[in-house]
DNA sequence: AAAAACAACTAAAACGTTTTCGTAAATTAT
DNA sequence: ATAATTTACGAAAACGTTTTAGTTGTTTTT
């Protein structure tokens, strides 16, 4: 087993001091050219690579960024992650991922763990547990220590930090407008409880679009799931109870299940009923018919978040100015709506 | 901004030495109980948390594990990742992810970067670039440095390390057997080029099952994609050319596209033609009809990989004994096959 | 009362770097 | 020949820990 070689080894072997080796490898002007050559040749021969940990300790910079997301097996989050990873890597940063599993406690634990020197900054989407509890002290503590934080997608108003979100409200608004333009009259919304920030925004857009078009908001046409978990029974009950000609869903899963159910009841999509779902993921693309979707541009979101974060890390001017970047959603039309 | 407090600060503030503080916080017997109390109270008050980087440098242990996967926006890999993360986190480890993007070069770069002290061990699936190039020197170098490595799913015979795979051959074998049991005669295989280890194995299982059942292997019934990228044209050509009554696909995407194409041609699934696809992901579950799938148990695979790795990290006996854990695939029957 | 034992603490090295400040020898200037 | 400058290098501190090996001063033993 070849152990990793250090500056000290090189110094001892070549009969020079550690400082000389360090400087020689950095091509410092201070060192004579023959010594430099000797050291560099030796280092190359033994494949010397500086120890990241030692460097981190020295500069108090780890070149790691911490990403905390509620779930990794989730198309949107992985898409964002890809954007983060892409940008970060290009800038020489590595990414440490922790999964909060939608739990407040795990989010706190992971964050505290990473905050003790392991990372230079955080990018995260709040867990539903955290949004439900509405407790952001762990975030406050981190930012108070001067660790930059960028929130994406699932954010909270009262946290002072940079944010990257999409205009969820507008996405919903546009979707409902499209339904109305297509002549739909009874437009349902399938969503989760309001404590999820994005669901709240989407619900607001849905409502506003209805009202702006002179359609009354009818609470009976809104199906609210208590969590992000699917519950077939609620879907069946809803469609047995209500007769609608368009459905806006805050996620793909709810939409796909609903489509299947109404299809099993003999309804034709999009003739009898149209569907639009948030998050343009694999399911939307491969459903039959394809699900018209509101794309959230996850990769771009990730890149922007990483860009903002790394900028903060590398130029940490003390001024506390925070930006919120709002991305515009895009409607991807597929077979589940008429065109 | 509250800066992070260190042992030195506490020591200075309390008029004791750094060693005393360190020991007091570890409840050492060496320290008097009043001093201990004083130190602990102070540490608690100022929320002292030891610096991970300093500890890493000291014990030459980072409590980080490096995961390198070809793609993060990929259901199977994220499932494995979830298993890794779950187990690692429970053992107090963090996970640094790098995405090789199916590229040999990126794999090498990421690996070298992490190997310089950032991690205690690697878990990875080979990029297709690496499998194509068949060059594993970067892996060899890492293991020679005594860094444990566990390969999963995409492995290579001649790398000496621990491995976790599923029995891909058997998965394909069982699928083809099921087709034959259902009376299918012309069974197609949709796959990628053989340099991807899992595709090779699956193709072997396909062939073996045919031969064992007295059916000749017909190369014309095998559609090989040059990469993992989908190419609609190849699918169309294939199904125009060949008439088959069953299709085994090495992944979901190929299967779903094929299903859609034959459906558009008026064929009924599973009456006229059956489908089975590898990787039981979201698409299989939500396709119509649902795609019968060979489940790869990703999460379990991840957990096992992490378990093996962490065991190696924590008890690094010098003996070079490597295990290969082979998980059994499971056939998840859905509407794309008769039952 | 001297020796031994013990309690409670500290100094210093170590992990692997980087960087500041010295310093000796060699060179140049006077 | 002496002073000033430059060249080429090394010592040591620093980052924040942990740990070994002292070092006090007090208590126990004989």
């Amino acid at each position: 087993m070849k152990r990793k070689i250090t500056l000290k080894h090189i110094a001892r072997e070549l009969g020079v001091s550690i400082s000389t080796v360090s400087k020689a490898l950095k091509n410092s002007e201070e060192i004579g050219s023959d010594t430099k050559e000797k050291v560099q040749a030796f280092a190359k021969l033994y494949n010397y690579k500086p120890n990241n940990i030692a460097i981190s300790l020295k500069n108090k910079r780890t070149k790691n960024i911490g990403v905390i997301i509620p779930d990794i097996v989730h198309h949107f989050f992985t898409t964002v992650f890809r954007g983060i990873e892409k940008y970060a890597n290009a800038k020489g940063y590595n990414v440490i991922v922790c999964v909060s599993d939608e739990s407040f406690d795990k989010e706190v634990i992971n964050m505290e763990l990473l905050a003790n020197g392991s990372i230079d900054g955080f990018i995260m989407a709040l867990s539903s547990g955290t949004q439900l509890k509405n407790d952001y002290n762990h975030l406050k503590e981190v930012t108070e220590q001067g660790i930059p934080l960028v929130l994406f997608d699932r954010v909270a108003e009262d946290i002072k930090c940079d944010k990257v979100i999409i205009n969820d409200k507008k996405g919903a608004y546009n979707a409902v407008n499209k339904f109305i333009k297509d002549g739909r009259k009874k437009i349902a919304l399938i969503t989760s409880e309001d404590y999820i920030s994005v669901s709240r925004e989407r619900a607001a857009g849905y409502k506003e679009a209805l009202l702006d078009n002179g359609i009354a908001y009818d609470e009976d046409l809104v199906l609210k799931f208590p969590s992000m978990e699917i519950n077939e029974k609620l879907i069946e009950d809803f469609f047995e109870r209500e007769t609608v000609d368009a459905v806006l869903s805050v996620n793909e899963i709810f939409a796909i299940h609903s489509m299947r159910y109404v299809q099993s009841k003999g309804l034709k999509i999009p003739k009898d009923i149209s569907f639009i779902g948030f998050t343009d993921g694999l399911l939307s693309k491969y459903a039959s018919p394809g699900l018209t979707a509101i794309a959230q541009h996850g990769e771009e979101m990730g890149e922007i978040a990483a860009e903002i974060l790394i900028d903060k890390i590398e130029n940490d001017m003390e001024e506390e100015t925070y930006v919120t970047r709002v991305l515009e959603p895009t409607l991807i039309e597929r077979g589940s709506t008429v065109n």
Side-chain angles (χ1 to χ4, degrees), chain A residues 307-331:
Chain A
E307 186 186 345
I308 294 176
L309 183 73
I310 291 175
D311 182 65
K312 273 274 159 70
I313 290 172
E314 300 192 339
N315 321 301
D316 54 353
M317 43 266 170
E318 285 298 291
E319 340 142 34
E320 288 198 355
T321 56
Y322 300 113
V323 304
T324 294
R325 283 283 290 274
V326 182
L327 307 188
E328 291 307 310
T330 308
L331 198 70

Side-chain angles (χ1 to χ4, degrees), chain A residues 258-326:
Chain A
S258 305
M259 280 170 68
R260 291 195 134 195
Y261 184 73
V262 303
Q263 281 174 325
S264 77
K265 288 288 157 185
L267 294 184
K268 293 293 169 222
I269 304 172
K271 195 167 92 33
D272 306 322
I273 180 169
S274 292
F275 283 84
I276 297 181
F278 265 90
T279 299
D280 178 44
L282 279 184
L283 292 180
S284 306
K285 201 166 162 190
Y286 291 105
S288 17
L291 174 63
T292 293
I294 299 154
Q296 302 191 83
H297 308 297
E299 192 158 343
E300 197 188 343
M301 188 178 274
E303 280 180 50
I304 292 173
E307 186 186 345
I308 294 176
L309 183 73
I310 291 175
D311 182 65
K312 273 274 159 70
I313 290 172
E314 300 192 339
N315 321 301
D316 54 353
M317 43 266 170
E318 285 298 291
E319 340 142 34
E320 288 198 355
T321 56
Y322 300 113
V323 304
T324 294
R325 283 283 290 274
V326 182

Side-chain angles (χ1 to χ4, degrees), chain A residues 202-265:
Chain A
R202 291 167 192 178
Y206 163 81
K207 196 167 174 175
E208 191 168 307
L210 290 180
L211 299 179
D212 283 1
N213 284 280
I215 301 179
Y217 170 75
D218 179 356
E219 204 158 319
D220 290 342
L221 296 186
V222 177
L223 171 56
K224 264 190 199 171
F225 282 91
S227 77
M228 284 307 194
E229 284 306 302
I230 186 73
N231 181 337
E232 291 283 0
K233 188 72 174 56
L234 290 180
I235 289 184
E236 292 172 23
D237 291 350
F238 180 80
F239 285 103
E240 291 306 323
R241 200 177 66 227
E242 307 291 339
T243 304
V244 300
D245 56 11
V247 178
L248 172 63
S249 168
V250 296
N251 65 35
E252 290 189 310
I253 305 268
F254 294 170
I256 298 292
H257 276 279
S258 305
M259 280 170 68
R260 291 195 134 195
Y261 184 73
V262 303
Q263 281 174 325
S264 77
K265 288 288 157 185

Side-chain angles (χ1 to χ4, degrees), chain A residues 158-170:
Chain A
D158 36 332
I159 305 173
K160 287 202 216 63
C161 69
D162 296 300
K163 292 163 195 167
V164 188
I165 52 178
I166 65 152
N167 195 335
D168 281 293
K169 189 171 168 185
K170 188 165 170 195

Side-chain angles (χ1 to χ4, degrees), chain A residues 69-86:
Chain A
I69 51 182
D71 184 7
I72 185 79
V73 188
H74 187 299
H75 187 262
F76 175 65
F77 289 133
T78 56
T79 308
V80 177
F81 183 85
R82 179 196 266 166
I84 295 173
E85 219 263 348
K86 199 165 148 189

